[in-house]
Amino acid sequence: MLRLIALLLSLAGAISSGAWAAELTFDIRIEHGRIAETMRLIRVHEGDSVKLRWTSDRPVVLHLHGYDIEKAVAAGAVTELSFTAYATGRFPIEIHGQGAGGAGDAPLAVIEVYPR
Ligand SMILES: [Cu+2]
């Protein structure tokens, strides 16, 4: 019985500390300033550890708005952009300093963080 109580207490601790948040990895390839349609909306939940693994056909600087993370992606190498999704909402990722992206004003991708 004591063991059961201890187990329940540790479970409660795990939940309140957010230990059940997911670790999510997304592999995203940029070509000609665009990414695959299926990667343009990324949905995660509050508290998740999110890892975006970028490759690009040319060097770009990515900017994740809201979290305000900037990351230079070199051509031909994987660049990781990691963050914990502590803030809920809708956050665009843009390519900075690219005149002719061919994608107009649309962001490269959008991350939606839902409340847990
Ligand atoms: Cu920006």
Side-chain angles (χ1 to χ4, degrees):
M1 188 60 189
L2 275 176
R3 271 194 183 180
L4 180 60
I5 290 169
L7 176 66
L8 289 175
L9 283 176
S10 69
L11 278 177
I15 292 167
S16 64
S17 70
W20 282 7
E23 289 188 18
L24 304 168
T25 301
F26 300 90
D27 290 293
I28 310 170
R29 168 139 189 89
I30 307 168
E31 267 175 74
H32 307 294
R34 311 196 65 164
I35 63 172
E37 193 105 36
T38 52
M39 299 307 291
R40 284 183 203 153
L41 178 58
I42 295 169
R43 294 184 161 115
V44 303
H45 283 90
E46 191 179 1
D48 287 348
S49 296
V50 182
K51 188 187 286 180
L52 307 177
R53 292 164 42 88
W54 299 90
T55 54
S56 179
D57 60 352
R58 54 183 148 168
V60 293
V61 176
L62 299 177
H63 182 208
L64 169 57
H65 284 241
Y67 287 81
D68 204 25
I69 300 171
E70 261 198 357
K71 205 85 185 181
V73 179
V78 177
T79 301
E80 286 188 1
L81 191 168
S82 299
F83 65 98
T84 301
Y86 57 83
T88 57
R90 189 175 160 84
F91 307 101
I93 299 173
E94 289 178 340
I95 294 181
H96 272 196
Q98 175 178 269
D105 290 325
L108 185 67
V110 171
I111 297 186
E112 288 182 348
V113 181
Y114 293 86
R116 188 163 287 280

